Amino acid sequence: MGVKSMRKGMFVVAAAAAALFAGAAMANPGVEARQELMKSIGGNTKAIGGIVKGGPGEASEVATRAAAIAASAAMIGGKFGDQVHVENAGDVKTTASPAIWMKWDEFVKAGTDLETAAKALETTAAGGDMAAIGAAFGAMTKTCGACHTPFRVKK
Ligand code: HEC
């Protein structure tokens, strides 16, 4: 091996190590997975909000999206297994409060409350009455804040 190719080889190894280090510092698959779950819940909630406010979309779409939210809500407890929160996350971006794991039963119940409210919205949406759908949607969005307020920290 010539000096030139050896230098090149060392550079590749150093670059790979740097990339690995950066990856370890910034990314956390467990945190990303739970944030993806929340983003999905957030996307469906936003879309339903648009329909409820009179934008394009049918009651049947509300029902489908509400069912998706209920399914996601059922996964919240399982997605928060990693105890990574604002105080121990280092460079990983998270707004999860350590309170989640200190008051785990309350956190899980907040997830169940969302699941129940999303199922109620799905049932109401099947009836097609937009005023009733709006009320059920309002009740569901209250459960977001009921969890975010005690269990999220703004960084
Ligand atoms: C059981 C508790 C709980 C419920 C219920 C809940 N959330 Fe969350 N949500 C969290 C936590 C905790 C985070 C912060 C996760 C993190 O940063 O690691 C979060 C983060 C989010 C995020 C930011 C995701 C990101 O990182 O980009 C959105 C958007 C969101 N939630 C929307 C909603 C909506 C909309 C609802 C109601 C329909 C809802 N959430 C209900 C606990 C909850």
Side-chain angles (χ1 to χ4, degrees):
M1 204 196 284
V3 171
K4 217 174 169 184
S5 67
M6 222 171 95
R7 275 206 196 121
K8 198 177 167 195
M10 278 166 70
F11 174 77
V12 169
V13 169
L20 200 75
F21 184 76
M26 304 296 289
N28 179 303
V31 171
E32 274 171 17
R34 73 199 191 194
Q35 289 172 345
E36 284 309 314
L37 184 75
M38 278 299 151
K39 275 180 197 163
S40 156
I41 292 173
N44 280 313
T45 302
K46 202 177 165 190
I48 295 172
I51 296 169
V52 166
K53 283 187 194 120
E58 306 287 325
S60 61
E61 185 184 335
V62 174
T64 308
R65 290 187 182 275
I69 293 170
S72 298
M75 292 162 68
I76 292 176
K79 291 279 181 185
F80 280 83
D82 295 10
Q83 301 196 11
V84 179
H85 51 70
V86 284
E87 284 165 23
N88 68 9
D91 289 341
V92 175
K93 283 203 172 80
T94 179
T95 55
S97 162
I100 293 171
W101 296 279
M102 295 187 307
K103 298 179 177 179
W104 180 249
D105 291 349
E106 284 177 37
F107 180 75
V108 170
K109 176 163 186 310
T112 309
D113 288 347
L114 169 58
E115 187 184 352
T116 304
K119 281 182 179 162
L121 174 59
E122 182 191 358
T123 307
T124 307
D129 175 350
M130 268 302 172
I133 291 169
F137 176 67
M140 188 196 79
T141 55
K142 278 197 182 129
T143 70
C144 314
C147 186
H148 287 175
T149 302
F151 295 118
R152 268 184 102 184
V153 176
K154 283 189 183 129
K155 257 191 161 175

